[in-house]
Amino acid sequence: ITPGPSQNTAQGLGNVEQTPLPEEIAGLRLTHFSQGEEALAQIAKLHGKKFNLKNGYVAHYESSTAKAMLWISESFYESEAQELIERMLVKIKEGKSPFSGLTEFQASGKTIYSLTGLGQTHYIYQERGMVVWLAVDPPVAEQALKETLAQI
């Protein structure tokens, strides 16, 4: 995958260190990412509407055998991040998404929501004012979640 003009490649890019993005999770290397307005535009496109967000990050991870994406939306307040998660869960429970099998569990002191869909395992959780959505291929899903939780 070739990054677009407003995307950053992970190799040798110093500003990845100024983001919450891990450079590697479960053996998957960060290949490219977007942040700020570019990421917020991608988040809005995915949902079909804009949100009042402070910042956003969209990261792509790959190895020779698996892929993952990390979507992070940063709200102005923790309560807004919680509200975003609650609204997503309502839509998912109503069947208005390609996801199924919603389960909830605790890990690293956080409530984690797990789903399946689009050939991947998806995890959603809140870290302060951030909503973190990890979409990852099933063979490395549990390890990817564990490592993401340790870093974000």
Side-chain angles (χ1 to χ4, degrees):
I1 300 172
T2 305
S6 59
Q7 293 179 322
N8 302 300
T9 58
Q11 287 78 20
L13 193 66
N15 67 355
V16 72
E17 296 165 2
Q18 297 172 8
T19 75
L21 301 172
E23 290 191 37
E24 182 177 316
I25 48 174
L28 308 176
R29 295 288 303 160
L30 177 62
T31 58
H32 61 280
F33 69 96
S34 53
Q35 62 183 343
E37 290 301 319
E38 175 67 20
L40 292 173
Q42 291 175 31
I43 292 166
K45 182 178 179 183
L46 179 72
H47 291 91
K49 62 181 176 180
K50 291 182 87 172
F51 298 94
N52 183 31
L53 297 172
K54 180 178 178 181
N55 204 348
Y57 305 90
V58 179
H60 300 257
Y61 295 84
E62 282 187 49
S63 73
S64 60
T65 59
K67 293 182 181 181
M69 282 188 71
L70 191 58
W71 300 79
I72 301 174
S73 62
E74 188 175 358
S75 297
F76 289 95
Y77 302 100
E78 286 185 34
S79 59
E80 292 175 336
Q82 182 59 41
E83 184 180 316
L84 286 173
I85 288 177
E86 289 170 6
R87 290 192 341 226
M88 281 192 293
L89 294 175
V90 166
K91 298 287 186 195
I92 290 165
K93 288 175 184 175
E94 291 174 349
K96 296 181 179 182
S97 79
F99 306 107
S100 62
L102 178 63
T103 59
E104 177 182 327
F105 62 94
Q106 298 293 313
S108 299
K110 297 173 180 48
T111 300
I112 312 294
Y113 301 96
S114 175
L115 328 115
T116 57
L118 306 173
Q120 293 187 307
T121 301
H122 301 261
Y123 299 105
I124 307 164
Y125 66 91
Q126 180 178 349
E127 174 58 35
R128 297 182 307 275
M130 295 185 291
V131 174
V132 178
W133 183 303
L134 173 64
V136 59
D137 289 348
V140 295
E142 288 183 22
Q143 185 63 30
L145 174 63
K146 181 179 177 182
E147 292 181 22
T148 302
L149 284 166
Q151 298 180 66
I152 302 175

